[in-house]
Amino acid sequence: MSEVTLGRYLFERLHQLQVDTIFGLPGDFNLSLLDKVYEVPNMRWAGNANELNAAYAADGYSRIKGLACLVTTFGVGELSALNGVGGAYAEHVGLLHVVGVPSIASQAKQLLLHHTLGNGDFTVFHRMSNNISQTTAFLSDITSAPSEIDRCIREAYVYQRPVYVGLPANLVDLKVPADRLQTPIDLSLKRNDPEAQEEVVNNVLTLIQQASNPIILVDACASRHSCKKEVEKLVNLTQFPVFTTPMGKSAIAESHPRFGGVYVGSLSQDDVKKSVESADFVLSIGALLSDFNTGSFTYSYKTKNIVEFHSDYTKIRQATFPGVQMKEALQQLISEVSTHLNPNYVPVPVPSVNLPVTPASPDTILTQEYLWSKVSSWFQEGDIIVTETGTSAFGIVQSRFPNNTIGISQVLWGSIGFTVGATVGAAMAAQEIDPKKRVILFVGDGSLQLTVQEISTLCKWECNNTYLYVLNNDGYTIERLIHGMNATYNDIQPWNNLDILPLFNAKEYETLTVKTTGELDSLFKNKKFAIPNKIRMIEIMLPRMDAPSNLVAQAKLSEKVNLEN
Amino acid sequence: MSEVTLGRYLFERLHQLQVDTIFGLPGDFNLSLLDKVYEVPNMRWAGNANELNAAYAADGYSRIKGLACLVTTFGVGELSALNGVGGAYAEHVGLLHVVGVPSIASQAKQLLLHHTLGNGDFTVFHRMSNNISQTTAFLSDITSAPSEIDRCIREAYVYQRPVYVGLPANLVDLKVPADRLQTPIDLSLKRNDPEAQEEVVNNVLTLIQQASNPIILVDACASRHSCKKEVEKLVNLTQFPVFTTPMGKSAIAESHPRFGGVYVGSLSQDDVKKSVESADFVLSIGALLSDFNTGSFTYSYKTKNIVEFHSDYTKIRQATFPGVQMKEALQQLISEVSTHLNPNYVPVPVPSVNLPVTPASPDTILTQEYLWSKVSSWFQEGDIIVTETGTSAFGIVQSRFPNNTIGISQVLWGSIGFTVGATVGAAMAAQEIDPKKRVILFVGDGSLQLTVQEISTLCKWECNNTYLYVLNNDGYTIERLIHGMNATYNDIQPWNNLDILPLFNAKEYETLTVKTTGELDSLFKNKKFAIPNKIRMIEIMLPRMDAPSNLVAQAKLSEKVNLEN
């Protein structure tokens, strides 16, 4: 093959990066593009239930595989996806958003096509997406199109952000040189300025050498910008205690002997709070600060000796080093740190991670506290654990993840309903990596209603590696706690949730209800239940106002901020 | 009461305009605002299933009542609604979109709150919405807030477009003078420039006087900008034959003796096409041109004597008169036309509207052609008929509406899934006007999947005036016809659709399946079925590739445009 169509070129490039599922919906400006998905061996078109769900699914897939592709149609399709794309932007998730747009001839003639605003403006949606994209391309010239596609894929991957590509319907079938595909897209990071990096590393080494009670605090961007190995090496070499934020959870193995727990400012476990806040040196890696990730900004370090490593800069105390990216800087730090440790440093013990389990008689009504303290015992190595904004995202903080677990939670963006879509993406990614990898969703009955139809996509692809725990507490409990405890606007229409899988024609499935501590205990002990061989929905009945204690505290802080003048 | 809270002020203003249902979802930046909904007598908070559906519902409500209000939360909520708001912009639907945003103090401190992009930019979502809004306000000052709210409501109503209001959480409970509420918002149109209007009317009268074979062609904006009465008067006085476009359907009573049918360019019924295209004078009122509304722009008038009345300008042959708005100009025209008619004009007969019904034995498999030719017999005066983009929107063109019928179809914007939400809004509006008013939805099995959960809102509010016809043809038939006849991307996961109402805990409901012409005939003859006293879902089984003939023709035209270089 000396030439390929531009459409196929795009998908071959994605296939080279192990992006083998394409998310989205058909629409008449992308139909001929979708034909090309089927030309690439082992590539599949997910065919989601709506575009917002598709964006969520792409986000979930990217969090497992490092990059995802979403295809929508002009106007209606792309706008439906924007909240999902905004989430990927906020939370640093690599996402190529390809929009099938009208042909260049239609644009030139300003035809009043359907899916337009009826005013001949074909660039308005591109302008809107530009606000939440790392970069964009609106293709118009077949000669430069392949290099533009390469540039967009590179930026989505390297910066871990959404990138927008407008692809006119008439370009899809035009031919481009095939030999470009022989050269992989350059995905390497731009090198740091050597002098700046040298200065950073030397300053950090000096602080390390002076520290007698240092800690490492790991956050989401360490995962998203592929620095998990660097974090682990640094902990091994320094033996500093390591903590994560809620969003950073799973960035370091929680079985690591130096792992001390999850730090959430004033909402932390007492001993975690004490350990972090009494440190005389804090090495922060990949911070993605936000109210829910920091207990409403209640960080309270004793020390001013704080170093922040970010994907695009480093900060040492008050000095910012723009462009000094963490991955390379950490690698240099790792190569030099052993000879610069404080000889008097004695590794302090880390907080115990014994989870509080209150014993209960088996017919006790289940509570959030019991659920979240017990759930760790059921997790397995390699699990993907997805927790919805709400009681689940707060509850999971106190759980303990086994090795190689990946946690997915949209703590900063916090769009309710996100996890149902993200679970589809994660489950399809897991099918590609290892069909026995379990994908476990915890979602509230309120959030489930926003995106329920995406469970149909799980059924279509027979994602029999999924466990859908629906926490039924009769409405939007997180909102009740913030404001309007008994307001009817926080009520939802009650659904017969266990009828969802049969409605969607699931093939292999199981549905269960759990109401008591005894039922939960026996479920978690059931070995057959632990084997991922069907789609399972487990409805967990919980008292209406019951919530993890850290959520109750967060909600009070949030309402205060909302009403402040 | 000498003072009211700003939140209550907003809802009192809406109540004055008979906007008594507020659509949207709770989110922590709008919760205290929602408290105020309950303070206004007879006002209700719909509590939709997700924000896109809520926007669709608000659109449907506004098409019945002239204005609607949608409340979302900052970032996640508002972005989810954008596709629905874009549709209201494209199709001229009055919609106030109120977004609960973080307090002014949080904005000033650039707090990295959840639902932000994490970069301290609080204006980005406002900027995005600005592209699809008539006007916007981002409130920050309590003194000017009431007048800003009045201005926004006025513009949404007068221009029939979406308007964006960012309302900081901390302003909601601040007090504003109550006596402002004694003066109604001025909703009058700006007067036309008298000289310009005089010139327009005189020119039109001259053309009328010269015409021997004139017609009137009515489109969507005649309905949206409240000119239906003017249209009727003009037809009565002139006795010109009157036609509508697909989007204009229901802008003139179809029982009117001068109504001649629906004109869709080359896709029209032969006699309609001939009548319109042989006219020597075309009076076009409220045109909203688009490919699907015009048979891909295949209008083919014999004459150059065309007058276009629009909501914001008038065009006579090649001359444009900016600012000459149709309502006032039509009123002047009506007052003068009787004395300016061509004395030799003889009203020509209009095309017959006998619908083609092919007789069939009762066990014949139902087809689209049979369905759409029979359905008129079942419609009643006052019905609201909602048809989804796809086979339904094309099929309905050949039906005949009884008096006072309102048709809802998103022909220009064409977002699939729209009608399920729009039906909720229309049904809630109907409950307010007359609980016995029937709301009838025709939606495909593919489109239904995008927004299915909004049926839960119908169940919650016991909208027992609704008939949900689900046309099950096994996938996205409209897309198949455009491109990819057998492509799996046009397949959908099959659902057991009749299980939807019980899943959502509908109280009074009925489900039915119709497969043959005989079953349809007896259903339409069943008097009990015609009484709107429960929520009904009727699944109509249709052959996979079956489609109305005008859709087949449109699809061919569309694919051609897509691929044109």
Side-chain angles (χ1 to χ4, degrees):
Chain A
M1 267 200 310
S2 66
E3 289 188 314
V4 291
T5 61
L6 183 67
R8 179 155 183 185
Y9 180 88
L10 167 68
F11 294 122
E12 291 287 353
R13 278 309 203 190
L14 290 164
H15 176 64
Q16 291 175 346
L17 301 176
Q18 286 81 54
V19 175
D20 283 326
T21 299
I22 308 295
F23 298 92
L25 268 79
D28 58 345
F29 300 122
N30 68 29
L31 295 173
S32 53
L33 177 63
L34 301 190
D35 287 337
K36 308 300 180 288
V37 173
Y38 298 83
E39 294 177 4
V40 180
N42 297 319
M43 184 163 262
R44 61 178 165 175
W45 169 247
N48 299 91
N50 68 36
E51 284 88 356
L52 178 56
N53 295 356
Y56 289 158
D59 181 312
Y61 183 92
S62 179
R63 287 181 198 233
I64 308 302
K65 300 198 77 177
L67 185 66
C69 176
L70 167 69
V71 177
T72 62
T73 197
F74 185 67
V76 293
E78 58 180 306
L79 293 194
S80 287
L82 286 189
N83 174 22
V85 175
Y89 187 89
E91 301 229 336
H92 288 253
V93 175
L95 178 63
L96 193 74
H97 182 196
V98 179
V99 181
V101 306
S103 71
I104 291 167
S106 302
Q107 293 182 41
K109 290 180 205 154
Q110 300 199 304
L111 289 184
L112 302 183
L113 298 180
H114 64 289
H115 301 347
T116 71
L117 297 177
N119 56 8
D121 181 351
F122 284 83
T123 64
V124 56
F125 311 123
H126 177 207
R127 292 199 307 274
M128 289 170 76
S129 271
N130 191 41
N131 288 287
I132 50 172
S133 300
Q134 174 70 27
T135 185
T136 69
F138 206 78
L139 303 180
S140 58
D141 165 34
I142 190 66
T143 316
S144 62
S147 64
E148 277 293 274
I149 285 174
D150 289 0
R151 177 181 71 82
C152 287
I153 291 175
R154 175 186 152 76
E155 297 215 11
Y157 186 89
V158 168
Y159 297 108
Q160 286 293 301
R161 295 274 201 180
V163 169
Y164 178 101
V165 178
L167 181 48
N170 66 309
L171 291 189
V172 167
D173 281 297
L174 300 187
K175 296 289 177 68
V176 299
D179 58 3
R180 260 193 93 91
L181 290 169
Q182 302 306 314
T183 312
I185 297 175
D186 176 15
L187 298 177
S188 60
L189 292 173
K190 197 169 146 257
R191 295 300 300 266
N192 287 339
D193 174 74
E195 280 184 41
Q197 180 169 303
E198 187 73 23
E199 192 175 325
V200 161
V201 170
N202 287 342
N203 284 341
V204 176
L205 288 171
T206 305
L207 289 167
I208 285 178
Q209 212 154 22
Q210 292 166 352
S212 58
N213 186 17
I215 63 135
I216 296 172
L217 181 60
V218 190
D219 204 342
C221 281
S223 302
R224 232 78 96 219
H225 291 279
S226 307
C227 293
K228 285 165 80 166
K229 279 189 190 153
E230 286 78 7
V231 168
E232 193 190 353
K233 279 185 196 165
L234 192 66
V235 175
N236 288 342
L237 290 170
T238 61
Q239 289 296 303
F240 295 167
V242 58
F243 300 85
T244 69
T245 64
M247 287 183 82
K249 201 166 158 66
S250 81
I252 177 93
E254 301 192 359
S255 60
H256 195 288
R258 303 303 294 151
F259 176 67
V262 179
Y263 178 63
V264 210
S266 66
L267 306 183
S268 314
Q269 238 176 260
D270 284 345
D271 48 359
V272 169
K273 183 167 152 55
K274 199 173 154 209
S275 296
V276 171
E277 297 181 356
S278 65
D280 65 350
F281 176 53
V282 176
L283 234 161
S284 154
I285 301 174
L288 198 57
L289 303 181
S290 78
D291 49 356
F292 284 4
N293 201 29
T294 63
S296 274
F297 314 110
T298 54
Y299 276 21
S300 168
Y301 306 130
K302 195 190 83 179
T303 183
K304 285 180 181 167
N305 291 329
I306 301 169
V307 172
E308 292 175 27
F309 286 104
H310 293 281
S311 62
D312 49 354
Y313 72 101
T314 302
K315 188 176 175 191
I316 301 180
R317 294 176 51 112
Q318 293 302 316
T320 298
F321 297 82
V324 177
Q325 306 157 96
M326 62 182 174
K327 193 172 176 81
E328 193 188 341
L330 284 170
Q331 285 167 349
Q332 191 185 336
L333 182 66
I334 288 162
S335 71
E336 300 182 23
V337 74
S338 302
T339 54
H340 290 75
L341 292 170
N342 179 345
N344 301 321
Y345 171 67
V346 184
V348 294
V350 296
S352 144
V353 290
N354 289 329
L355 298 166
V357 182
T358 317
S361 83
D363 57 354
T364 309
I365 293 292
L366 200 60
T367 61
Q368 295 264 354
E369 194 203 334
Y370 193 88
L371 169 67
W372 296 113
S373 60
K374 274 288 184 173
V375 75
S376 307
S377 69
W378 182 73
F379 290 151
Q380 290 178 3
E381 202 165 317
D383 282 348
I384 297 171
I385 299 165
V386 190
T387 49
E388 179 70 38
T389 301
T391 56
S392 302
F394 285 85
I396 200 73
V397 167
Q398 63 179 281
S399 76
R400 181 53 58 111
F401 284 178
N403 284 349
N404 299 316
T405 304
I406 298 179
I408 296 181
S409 189
Q410 207 190 39
V411 175
L412 166 57
W413 189 242
S415 182
I416 66 168
F418 162 77
T419 54
V420 179
T423 296
V424 171
M428 293 183 81
Q431 281 184 327
E432 292 167 19
I433 296 167
D434 171 6
K436 291 287 159 213
K437 193 180 252 311
R438 306 191 309 178
V439 179
I440 302 157
L441 167 67
F442 296 94
V443 63
D445 56 337
S447 298
L448 173 67
Q449 296 197 353
L450 281 86
T451 46
V452 63
Q453 60 270 77
E454 208 52 39
I455 292 174
S456 163
T457 309
L458 285 180
C459 299
K460 179 167 70 173
W461 290 104
E462 299 182 41
C463 294
N464 296 334
N465 52 343
T466 46
Y467 293 79
L468 313 174
Y469 287 91
V470 177
L471 278 56
N472 189 335
N473 50 16
D474 195 18
Y476 300 123
T477 297
I478 184 171
E479 308 290 10
R480 289 191 207 283
L481 293 166
I482 293 176
H483 187 91
M485 187 60 87
N486 293 304
T488 58
Y489 53 72
N490 285 326
D491 294 345
I492 57 169
Q493 170 76 357
W495 289 5
N496 299 306
N497 290 313
L498 297 190
D499 294 344
I500 291 173
L501 288 172
L503 169 68
F504 295 151
N505 269 316
K507 279 187 189 157
E508 299 288 325
Y509 74 95
E510 182 179 9
T511 61
L512 295 161
T513 303
V514 175
K515 292 180 181 169
T516 65
T517 57
E519 286 168 5
L520 188 76
D521 289 347
S522 58
L523 187 68
F524 283 170
K525 282 177 194 148
N526 182 332
K527 286 189 181 161
K528 281 192 182 165
F529 176 75
I531 298 169
N533 55 3
K534 53 188 80 166
I535 304 179
R536 289 179 169 93
M537 183 179 285
I538 310 97
E539 190 169 33
I540 308 261
M541 306 307 290
L542 292 160
R544 185 173 183 175
M545 299 303 185
D546 181 38
S549 56
N550 56 349
L551 172 55
V552 176
Q554 174 67 59
K556 283 183 192 152
L557 295 172
S558 283
E559 185 172 24
K560 189 159 161 273
V561 169
N562 285 352
L563 297 180
E564 210 174 5
N565 286 304
Chain B
M1 267 198 313
S2 67
E3 289 189 315
V4 290
T5 61
L6 183 67
R8 179 155 182 184
Y9 181 87
L10 167 68
F11 294 122
E12 290 287 355
R13 278 307 203 191
L14 290 165
H15 176 64
Q16 291 176 345
L17 301 176
Q18 287 80 52
V19 175
D20 283 327
T21 299
I22 308 296
F23 298 91
L25 268 79
D28 56 347
F29 300 122
N30 68 28
L31 295 174
S32 52
L33 177 63
L34 301 191
D35 287 338
K36 308 300 180 288
V37 174
Y38 298 82
E39 295 176 4
V40 180
N42 297 321
M43 183 164 262
R44 60 179 167 175
W45 169 246
N48 299 90
N50 68 37
E51 282 88 357
L52 178 57
N53 295 356
Y56 290 158
D59 182 311
Y61 183 91
S62 179
R63 287 181 198 232
I64 306 303
K65 299 199 76 178
L67 185 66
C69 176
L70 167 69
V71 177
T72 63
T73 198
F74 185 66
V76 293
E78 58 180 304
L79 292 194
S80 286
L82 286 189
N83 174 23
V85 176
Y89 187 89
E91 302 229 335
H92 287 253
V93 176
L95 177 63
L96 192 74
H97 182 195
V98 179
V99 181
V101 307
S103 72
I104 291 167
S106 302
Q107 294 182 42
K109 291 180 204 156
Q110 299 200 306
L111 289 184
L112 302 182
L113 298 180
H114 64 288
H115 301 346
T116 71
L117 296 177
N119 57 8
D121 182 351
F122 283 82
T123 64
V124 56
F125 311 122
H126 176 208
R127 293 199 306 274
M128 289 169 75
S129 271
N130 191 40
N131 288 288
I132 50 174
S133 300
Q134 174 70 27
T135 184
T136 69
F138 205 78
L139 303 180
S140 58
D141 166 35
I142 190 65
T143 317
S144 61
S147 65
E148 277 292 274
I149 285 173
D150 289 0
R151 178 181 68 84
C152 287
I153 290 174
R154 175 185 152 76
E155 296 215 8
Y157 186 89
V158 168
Y159 296 109
Q160 287 293 303
R161 296 273 201 179
V163 169
Y164 179 102
V165 178
L167 182 48
N170 67 308
L171 291 189
V172 168
D173 281 296
L174 300 188
K175 295 289 176 68
V176 299
D179 58 3
R180 260 194 92 91
L181 290 169
Q182 303 305 315
T183 312
I185 297 176
D186 175 16
L187 297 177
S188 61
L189 290 174
K190 198 171 145 256
R191 295 298 302 265
N192 287 339
D193 174 73
E195 281 184 42
Q197 180 170 304
E198 188 72 24
E199 191 175 327
V200 161
V201 171
N202 288 341
N203 285 340
V204 175
L205 288 171
T206 306
L207 289 167
I208 286 177
Q209 212 153 22
Q210 293 165 353
S212 57
N213 186 18
I215 63 140
I216 297 173
L217 181 60
V218 190
D219 205 343
C221 281
S223 302
R224 232 79 95 219
H225 292 278
S226 308
C227 294
K228 284 163 81 166
K229 278 189 191 152
E230 286 77 8
V231 169
E232 194 190 349
K233 280 186 196 163
L234 192 65
V235 175
N236 289 342
L237 291 171
T238 61
Q239 290 295 305
F240 295 168
V242 58
F243 301 85
T244 68
T245 64
M247 288 182 81
K249 202 167 158 63
S250 81
I252 177 93
E254 302 192 358
S255 60
H256 195 288
R258 301 303 293 152
F259 176 67
V262 180
Y263 178 63
V264 210
S266 66
L267 307 184
S268 315
Q269 241 177 257
D270 285 344
D271 48 358
V272 170
K273 184 166 150 53
K274 200 175 152 207
S275 296
V276 172
E277 297 181 356
S278 65
D280 66 349
F281 175 52
V282 176
L283 235 163
S284 154
I285 301 174
L288 199 57
L289 302 182
S290 77
D291 48 356
F292 284 4
N293 202 30
T294 62
S296 274
F297 314 109
T298 53
Y299 275 22
S300 167
Y301 305 128
K302 196 190 81 178
T303 183
K304 284 181 182 167
N305 290 330
I306 301 168
V307 172
E308 294 175 27
F309 286 103
H310 293 281
S311 62
D312 50 355
Y313 72 101
T314 302
K315 189 174 173 192
I316 301 180
R317 295 175 52 110
Q318 294 303 314
T320 299
F321 297 81
V324 177
Q325 307 158 95
M326 60 183 175
K327 194 174 175 80
E328 193 188 340
L330 284 170
Q331 285 167 351
Q332 191 183 336
L333 183 65
I334 288 161
S335 71
E336 301 183 22
V337 72
S338 303
T339 54
H340 290 75
L341 291 170
N342 180 343
N344 302 321
Y345 172 67
V346 183
V348 294
V350 296
S352 144
V353 291
N354 289 328
L355 297 166
V357 183
T358 318
S361 83
D363 58 352
T364 308
I365 293 293
L366 200 60
T367 60
Q368 296 265 354
E369 193 203 333
Y370 193 87
L371 169 66
W372 296 113
S373 59
K374 274 288 182 173
V375 75
S376 307
S377 68
W378 183 74
F379 290 150
Q380 290 179 3
E381 200 165 319
D383 282 348
I384 297 172
I385 299 165
V386 190
T387 49
E388 179 70 38
T389 301
T391 55
S392 302
F394 285 85
I396 200 72
V397 167
Q398 63 179 280
S399 76
R400 180 56 57 113
F401 285 177
N403 284 351
N404 299 317
T405 304
I406 298 180
I408 295 181
S409 188
Q410 207 189 39
V411 175
L412 167 56
W413 189 242
S415 183
I416 65 169
F418 161 78
T419 53
V420 180
T423 297
V424 172
M428 293 181 81
Q431 281 184 326
E432 291 166 18
I433 296 168
D434 171 5
K436 291 287 161 215
K437 194 181 249 311
R438 306 190 308 177
V439 178
I440 302 158
L441 166 68
F442 295 94
V443 63
D445 56 336
S447 298
L448 173 67
Q449 297 199 350
L450 281 86
T451 46
V452 64
Q453 59 269 78
E454 208 53 38
I455 293 174
S456 163
T457 308
L458 285 181
C459 299
K460 178 167 71 174
W461 290 104
E462 299 182 41
C463 294
N464 296 335
N465 52 343
T466 47
Y467 294 81
L468 314 174
Y469 287 89
V470 177
L471 277 55
N472 189 335
N473 50 15
D474 195 18
Y476 300 122
T477 297
I478 185 172
E479 307 291 10
R480 290 190 207 283
L481 293 168
I482 294 177
H483 187 91
M485 187 61 84
N486 292 301
T488 58
Y489 54 71
N490 285 327
D491 294 346
I492 56 168
Q493 171 74 359
W495 290 4
N496 299 305
N497 290 313
L498 297 190
D499 295 343
I500 291 172
L501 288 172
L503 169 68
F504 296 151
N505 268 317
K507 279 186 190 158
E508 298 289 327
Y509 74 95
E510 179 179 11
T511 62
L512 296 161
T513 303
V514 175
K515 292 180 182 168
T516 65
T517 57
E519 287 168 5
L520 188 76
D521 287 347
S522 58
L523 187 68
F524 283 169
K525 282 177 197 150
N526 182 331
K527 285 189 182 164
K528 281 192 181 165
F529 175 76
I531 298 168
N533 55 2
K534 51 188 81 166
I535 304 180
R536 291 180 168 92
M537 183 180 285
I538 310 97
E539 190 170 33
I540 307 262
M541 307 306 291
L542 293 160
R544 184 174 183 172
M545 299 305 184
D546 181 38
S549 55
N550 56 350
L551 173 55
V552 176
Q554 175 66 58
K556 282 183 194 151
L557 295 172
S558 283
E559 184 172 26
K560 188 160 161 271
V561 169
N562 287 351
L563 298 179
E564 209 174 5
N565 286 304

